[in-house]
Structures are given as structure tokens and as C-alpha cells.
């Protein structure tokens, strides 16, 4: 065989390989990623991530949103199945970023994909120095933000709120967990979880009631109070209720009766709660929504106005 013929044969083989790499439905990229993930060195794992993200960005740039989403979703799933949590965390955020950049609506399909990724995070092994919980929560919060912006539901898909709440609870972020479960309208689950929360029980109960009321969800605020009371009646060994319980229960009854003066009285009697910065915005909103009580103007702003913005 002449040198020229051999050279042409080599060029044809190279062209055929390139065509195979770009052919629709090829699994060449997946095979390359799996090969890289099978290596024990970290640089290979990041090379797999770079390959997946670059293909996602390329498809999105070409206007093929479906392919971009599929690459990002399949890539995230593959990385998590290989227990590569750190690189998977970046790929999962790439998936959410693609949803945002392409202005994809918060549909059942995409929400299901997010929940599937969350389930894969749960299955990953937790090593001693792993930040799995941090990455997992970061992904879910990003997904929740996307859903809130692209959903017919004002605050986003309730299933995502509920899922985030469960993950936050398992990561010992209990207050934020209850807030997310409130947004998911998971009354029974809130009662079940907080009942066994020890000294935090009544505080978390108050978090639930106040957040339901701030969202103008009187139905679930009432259900939470009734369910919590039923727990007391059915448990003779229950620890006595604290001021948090009293405050939350009275607050609900006052909101039902549109009693603005009683609301102000309650706030004055429970200043240890009402003046706590973490409750302030919520109670201010409740006062405005249920009783038309406007928050007092900021004194510094008043002075700045009087002085023309400065001395």
C-alpha cells in the first residue's frame, strides 16, 4: 500500500469517527464519561464534568433546549450513580441554570426530574469529609427558585418545597425545614416531626403557625393547632406547653376574630417573641394583612428626610 493511499485511509477513518461522535443518539459521549469516571484520579472526574457541561452549553447555544436538558439531567444522574457528589453538584446546578436560561416552565416533567436527582443525592454514600448535604440543599434551593419564577403557583411547586423541607430536617436545619414544609402544606408531617424534636418542639410549632398565618393560610394554621392539641390529649407523658405554644394559639384565635387591639396586646405581652428579629417581618406582615396595622416608620429614615439626607 502506497503512503498516499494509507494517508487517505487514515483520514477517512478519522472522519468516520468524528461523524459517529456527532451523530444523533450516539452513546459515545456517555461511554467517554463512564471511562473517565472509572479512573481513580480526580482530574479525570472533572474532565467528565467539563465534557458534559460543554455539550450542554453547546446544545443550548444551538437552540436545542431538549438536548441540552437531557445532557444535563443524564449527566447529573450518571455522576451521582458513580457517587461523585462534588462534580455532580456542579452538574446539577448546570441543569437548573439551563432551565432558567431557556425559561423552561415548571412542569410536572421537570419537577419529577429534580425529585429524581434529589433521590440520587440521598443514595450517595456520605464520606467523612463529604459536603453532600450542603451540595444537595444548594441544588434544591436553586431548583426551588427556578420553580417559583416559572410556575403557575406563586411560590413554586409544593412538592419541591416538601422535598427541601425533609432534606433540611435531616441536615438538622429544623427551623428552615418547617418553613419549607409550611410552603408544601405538609401539616401532618410538621406535627409528626416537631413532636419528637425535644426542647425545640414548641418553638418549631410556633414557626409553623406564624408562617402559615403570614401566608394567609388560615386553614392549615388551624389544622396545625388542632393536630398539635390532639397530640397533647393523646400523650399523658407530654412535656407541658411553653410560651411559644400559648403565643401561637392565641395569635391564631385573634386573627380569626379580626381583633387588632388584641393583636397589639398580645405583642406587648410576649415581647420576648414579638421583638425577636427572626419573628419581626412575619408578625409585621400578619398585623398588616389581618388588622391593617402599618409598621412604624423607621426613625432614621424620618431624620434623614427632615435633614435632607445629611447634616
Amino acid at each position: 500500500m502506497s503512503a498516499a493511499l494509507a494517508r487517505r485511509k487514515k483520514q477517512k477513518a478519522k472522519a468516520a469517527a468524528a461523524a459517529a461522535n456527532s451523530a444523533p443518539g450516539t452513546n459515545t459521549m456517555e461511554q467517554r464519561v463512564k471511562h473517565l469516571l472509572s479512573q481513580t484520579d480526580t482530574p479525570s472526574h472533572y474532565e467528565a464534568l467539563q465534557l458534559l457541561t460543554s455539550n450542554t452549553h453547546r446544545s443550548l447555544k444551538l437552540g436545542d433546549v431538549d438536548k441540552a436538558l437531557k445532557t444535563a439531567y443524564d449527566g447529573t444522574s450518571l455522576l451521582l450513580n458513580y457517587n461523585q457528589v462534588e462534580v455532580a453538584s456542579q452538574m446539577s446546578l448546570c441543569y437548573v441554570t439551563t432551565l432558567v436560561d431557556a425559561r423552561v416552565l415548571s412542569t410536572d416533567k421537570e419537577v419529577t426530574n429534580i425529585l429524581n436527582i434529589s433521590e440520587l443525592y440521598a443514595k450517595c454514600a456520605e464520606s467523612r469529609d463529604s459536603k453532600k448535604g450542603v451540595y444537595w440543599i444548594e441544588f434544591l434551593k436553586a431548583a426551588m427558585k427556578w420553580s417559583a419564577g416559572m410556575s403557575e403557583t406563586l411560590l413554586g411547586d409544593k412538592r419541591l418545597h416538601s422535598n427541601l423541607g425533609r432534606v433540611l430536617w435531616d441536615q438538622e436545619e429544623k427551623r428552615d425545614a418547617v418553613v419549607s414544609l409550611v410552603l408544601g402544606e405538609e401539616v401532618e408531617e410538621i406535627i409528626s416531626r416537631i413532636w419528637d424534636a425535644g426542647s425545640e418542639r414548641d418553638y418549631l410549632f410556633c414557626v409553623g403557625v406564624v408562617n402559615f398565618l403570614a401566608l394567609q393560610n388560615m386553614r392549615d394554621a388551624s389544622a396545625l393547632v388542632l393536630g398539635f392539641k390532639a397530640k397533647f390529649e393523646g400523650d399523658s407523658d407530654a412535656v407541658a406547653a411553653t410560651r411559644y405554644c400559648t403565643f401561637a394559639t392565641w395569635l391564631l384565635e385573634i386573627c380569626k376574630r379580626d381583633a387588632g387591639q388584641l393583636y397589639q396586646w398580645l405583642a406587648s405581652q410576649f415581647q420576648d417573641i414579638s421583638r425577636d428579629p427572626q419573628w419581626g417581618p412575619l408578625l409585621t406582615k400578619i398585623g398588616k394583612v389581618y388588622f391593617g396595622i402599618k409598621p412604624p416608620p423607621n426613625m432614621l429614615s424620618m431624620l434623614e428626610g427632615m435633614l435632607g439626607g445629611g447634616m
Side-chain angles (χ1 to χ4, degrees):
M1 183 184 294
S2 67
L5 185 61
R7 188 166 54 251
R8 283 198 296 272
K9 187 174 181 180
K10 187 175 181 180
Q11 289 172 342
K12 285 183 179 180
K14 187 175 180 180
N21 283 338
S22 60
T26 183
N27 63 355
T28 303
M29 184 181 69
E30 182 180 346
Q31 290 173 348
R32 288 175 63 192
V33 170
K34 286 182 177 179
H35 171 72
L36 290 167
L37 293 176
S38 67
Q39 308 303 306
T40 57
D41 60 304
T42 300
S44 293
H45 303 158
Y46 275 92
E47 187 179 343
L49 172 66
Q50 185 177 13
L51 178 62
L52 290 165
T53 54
S54 62
N55 274 273
T56 299
H57 295 151
R58 185 183 303 115
S59 296
L60 188 60
K61 189 175 182 179
L62 293 172
D64 194 341
V65 176
D66 288 342
K67 186 176 180 181
L69 289 173
K70 186 177 189 309
T71 301
Y73 173 72
D74 289 348
T76 301
S77 301
L78 187 60
L79 292 169
L80 287 171
N81 279 323
Y82 272 79
N83 206 45
Q84 296 301 321
V85 177
E86 187 170 341
V87 289
S89 70
Q90 296 182 49
M91 197 66 224
S92 64
L93 290 176
C94 176
Y95 174 62
V96 177
T97 301
T98 304
L99 291 171
V100 173
D101 290 346
R103 297 193 60 78
V104 177
L105 295 177
S106 181
T107 62
D108 185 69
K109 175 187 174 183
E110 302 305 339
V111 169
T112 299
N113 283 347
I114 289 167
L115 294 174
N116 288 341
I117 291 173
S118 181
E119 188 174 342
L120 289 174
Y121 265 108
K123 292 178 180 178
C124 285
E126 185 84 74
S127 61
R128 187 177 62 181
D129 57 347
S130 174
K131 295 181 179 178
K132 182 180 86 169
V134 175
Y135 296 140
W136 192 359
I137 290 170
E138 183 182 17
F139 161 68
L140 289 176
K141 286 184 175 180
M144 197 63 257
K145 186 176 180 180
W146 157 76
S147 181
M150 299 301 294
S151 173
E152 294 181 356
T153 306
L154 180 61
L155 297 172
D157 194 281
K158 294 175 185 177
R159 291 170 294 175
L160 295 181
H161 282 299
S162 299
N163 185 252
L164 175 58
R166 292 168 191 131
V167 176
L168 286 166
W169 187 276
D170 290 341
Q171 297 297 315
E172 298 297 325
E173 298 184 31
K174 293 182 179 179
R175 184 182 189 280
D176 289 344
V178 171
V179 173
S180 289
L181 291 171
V182 164
L183 290 164
E185 299 182 357
E186 302 283 1
V187 177
E188 292 300 323
E189 185 169 349
I190 292 171
I191 295 170
S192 176
R193 287 182 180 275
I194 68 176
W195 189 255
D196 296 320
S199 61
E200 295 181 279
R201 181 196 66 187
D202 295 357
Y203 164 73
L204 295 172
F205 167 70
C206 191
V207 169
V209 174
V210 171
N211 275 275
F212 273 131
L213 289 173
L215 290 169
Q216 296 178 256
N217 187 346
M218 183 73 76
R219 178 200 66 192
D220 286 337
S222 300
L224 179 56
V225 170
L226 289 173
F228 199 69
K229 286 182 176 179
K231 276 281 191 181
F232 271 104
E233 294 172 0
D235 187 350
S236 58
D237 297 324
V239 177
T242 64
R243 283 171 62 80
Y244 280 115
C245 277
T246 306
F247 176 79
T249 304
W250 286 6
L251 179 61
L252 173 65
E253 293 304 317
I254 290 170
C255 287
K256 287 179 179 179
R257 287 163 175 72
D258 190 22
Q261 288 185 333
L262 279 177
Y263 172 78
Q264 292 176 318
W265 172 85
L266 183 69
S268 69
Q269 295 297 309
F270 289 82
Q271 290 185 15
D272 54 319
I273 297 175
S274 64
R275 291 191 177 181
D276 188 324
Q278 68 175 306
W279 300 101
L282 292 169
L283 295 174
T284 296
K285 184 177 181 181
I286 290 171
K288 184 178 180 181
V289 167
Y290 290 93
F291 313 112
I293 300 173
K294 295 181 180 179
N298 183 282
M299 189 60 69
L300 181 59
S301 298
M302 290 178 64
L303 288 171
E304 287 177 345
M306 291 168 63
L307 298 173
M311 294 296 288

